[in-house]
Amino acid sequence: MSKINTQKIIAPIMKFVNMRGIIALKDGMLAILPLTVVGSLFLIVGQLPFEGLNQAIAGVFGSDWTEPFMQVYSGTFAIMGLISCFSIGYSYAKNSGVEPLPAGVLALSSFFILLKSSYVPEKGEAIADAIGKVWFGGQGIIGAILIGLAAGSIYTVFIKKHIVIKMPEQVPQAIAKQFEAMIPAFVIFLLSMIVYIVAKLATGGGTFIEMIYDVIQVPLQGLTGSLYGAIGIAFFISFLWWFGVHGQSVVNGVVTALLLSNLDANKALLAADKLSVSQGAHIVTQQFLDSFLILSGSGITFGVVVAMLFAAKSKQYKALGKVAAFPAIFNVNEPVVFGFPIVMNPVMFLPFVLVPVLAALIVYMAIAVGFMQPFAGVTLPWSTPAIISGFMVAGWQGAVIQIVILAMSAFVYFPFVKFQDNIAYNNELKNEE
């Protein structure tokens, strides 16, 4: 690939990656990581899949022994949309170089303005001053993202252009900053009210967040949860990395909200004892990506490390294999990506893209045919080692699938690594002569 053509591809990718909104989205979604990881642990304890164990514990602590665990889940994983709205507005302002706290507060307030101020149960009359908590979690997360980005950008524009209430220098900065936020606050709240009215008229009594859920989020969740979505996620992580762009970071920024929404829907099915593909469970969730598509790192380069350790003849790749082995255990493969190198290496493009795509097919089919249950349990950090992560998110079946993926990686990468190693070995011989 020529240098000119490469630059033509990289330029729009980097422009997209460096957009303020995309950076705010990635940083904002990172803020909910402790909620989703730790909150899911409490959910697993509160929804043990072993009826005999449940009954035994209930016999000691009472039938409502799971209630405290579900309370923790309710205050963590179940409010990820609410928290992401604040954190995205905060991150947008922070990355723009202005005081970030008011932006997060204004985004959160807009979120509540755009919700219904009453709750209508399935049976009975509306309850005033009550809000359906379902919109705080995965079901309202796309609306929350849009509100956070909009509030953060509007606030930033007003502050940057100095359209603010200026206080005398004698006023403490902490107070002056709050007065600066009043004009953008008025504009944001006014626009939120207008959007609320328009959405209510357009939907016959619904809200903006409900409309976004029906029109945008449901189709996107279906797309990301499909086989095509799984293949697309796997492909673009490696494709972007091959150009030197952090593919996992970019793709995570785009799909994390949707994958967590898929997971949240699966957790609801688990609570109702209906967790199966036939009951509408999503196959592609955050665990699908973190625990199966980046084993040993983006591109699943386990096969590269194994080939270097046991089959390399060149001193270069023998040494690199030893250096790369330990980080690969924790899914860190920058030594391989940049040291082999894989970035911009035409020899390695095909296996680097093909291996994760094949992994996506393997995992997707394993769940579709019933070998593995859809993910609804613990969410692990992406750096959790293989086999351990597979067992924790999907039992022994998950560990088996990870072993299959690692074996496939070794099989696919081996001839390409050997080809590259022979070139390096011959060059070393020439240099010695």
Side-chain angles (χ1 to χ4, degrees):
M1 185 179 292
S2 69
K3 184 176 180 180
I4 295 177
N5 289 337
T6 300
Q7 290 302 319
K8 286 182 178 180
I9 295 174
I10 292 177
I13 292 174
M14 293 308 299
K15 185 177 180 180
F16 173 78
V17 170
N18 292 320
M19 289 173 62
R20 284 182 183 175
I22 297 300
I23 295 173
L25 178 59
K26 291 188 294 183
D27 293 347
M29 293 307 295
L30 283 175
I32 67 173
L33 185 62
L35 304 183
T36 57
V37 173
V38 180
S40 65
L41 294 175
F42 285 85
L43 175 67
I44 288 299
V45 178
Q47 295 288 340
L48 289 175
F50 309 106
E51 187 60 32
L53 182 59
N54 275 324
Q55 293 177 356
I57 298 175
V60 178
F61 297 102
S63 59
D64 61 345
W65 72 272
T66 62
E67 190 269 336
F69 294 95
M70 298 307 295
Q71 184 69 8
V72 175
Y73 164 74
S74 180
T76 53
F77 200 103
I79 62 166
M80 62 181 178
L82 185 69
I83 301 302
S84 64
C85 182
F86 174 89
S87 60
I88 289 170
Y90 182 97
S91 298
Y92 192 104
K94 183 179 180 181
N95 293 329
S96 301
V98 299
E99 179 65 29
L101 183 58
V105 173
L106 297 179
L108 194 61
S109 183
S110 296
F111 182 82
F112 279 97
I113 291 172
L114 292 167
L115 286 171
K116 287 181 179 178
S117 57
S118 62
Y119 174 69
V120 182
E122 293 183 6
K123 296 181 179 179
E125 298 180 356
I127 303 172
D129 296 325
I131 298 174
K133 195 175 179 181
V134 65
W135 300 108
F136 292 178
Q139 198 162 311
I141 198 167
I142 298 301
I145 288 171
L146 295 176
I147 294 167
L149 290 174
S153 61
I154 293 170
Y155 169 80
T156 298
V157 168
F158 274 78
I159 300 299
K160 287 279 190 179
K161 293 188 177 295
H162 303 291
I163 308 174
V164 297
I165 297 175
K166 282 288 186 181
M167 300 298 290
E169 293 183 0
Q170 294 82 359
V171 176
Q173 280 295 306
I175 299 175
K177 292 293 184 182
Q178 304 311 313
F179 274 91
E180 286 183 357
M182 287 188 179
I183 292 179
F186 175 80
V187 173
I188 290 170
F189 295 160
L190 178 62
L191 291 174
S192 298
M193 184 185 73
I194 294 171
V195 171
Y196 172 82
I197 295 171
V198 172
K200 187 174 182 179
L201 293 173
T203 60
T207 66
F208 170 78
I209 295 175
E210 292 171 348
M211 184 173 67
I212 292 298
Y213 175 75
D214 292 332
V215 176
I216 298 177
Q217 184 167 334
V218 171
L220 285 178
Q221 282 186 243
L223 179 61
T224 55
S226 68
L227 179 59
Y228 298 109
I231 292 173
I233 291 169
F235 172 82
F236 279 107
I237 290 176
S238 292
F239 179 77
L240 293 173
W241 257 121
W242 191 83
F243 287 99
V245 179
H246 199 299
Q248 183 186 346
S249 177
V250 174
V251 172
N252 263 333
V254 175
V255 305
T256 292
L258 296 169
L259 297 183
L260 289 175
S261 296
N262 290 349
L263 177 59
D264 196 40
N266 282 5
K267 289 179 183 293
L269 290 174
L270 175 65
D273 197 24
K274 296 180 179 179
L275 184 62
S276 68
V277 175
S278 61
Q279 294 283 351
H282 295 278
I283 293 178
V284 185
T285 65
Q286 194 64 40
Q287 296 101 321
F288 191 104
L289 194 164
D290 291 343
S291 298
F292 293 90
L293 296 189
I294 55 171
L295 289 177
S296 71
S298 299
I300 312 181
T301 52
F302 172 82
V304 178
V305 176
V306 169
M308 289 191 296
L309 284 174
F310 298 103
K313 295 186 293 183
S314 65
K315 296 177 182 178
Q316 173 187 344
Y317 290 128
K318 283 182 179 179
L320 180 60
K322 295 176 182 178
V323 171
F326 183 75
I329 296 174
F330 300 96
N331 304 322
V332 175
N333 67 339
E334 276 77 0
V336 176
V337 171
F338 295 105
F340 190 81
I342 289 176
V343 170
M344 304 299 290
N345 183 347
V347 174
M348 300 303 293
F349 178 80
L350 179 61
F352 190 62
V353 171
L354 179 62
V355 168
V357 168
L358 292 176
L361 288 170
I362 291 170
V363 181
Y364 193 96
M365 295 309 298
I367 296 175
V369 301
F371 179 74
M372 282 200 308
Q373 192 179 44
F375 303 112
V378 63
T379 304
L380 300 174
W382 60 266
S383 55
T384 307
I387 313 304
I388 296 175
S389 61
F391 181 79
M392 292 185 69
V393 302
W396 66 267
Q397 297 94 331
V400 169
I401 292 298
Q402 285 188 333
I403 292 171
V404 170
I405 292 172
L406 294 176
M408 177 271 295
S409 169
F411 178 80
V412 173
Y413 274 116
F414 187 82
F416 295 93
V417 176
K418 283 297 295 179
F419 179 83
Q420 193 82 29
D421 178 62
N422 287 334
I423 295 173
Y425 181 67
N426 290 330
N427 288 337
E428 288 176 357
L429 292 178
K430 289 179 182 179
N431 291 334
E432 289 176 2
E433 291 175 358

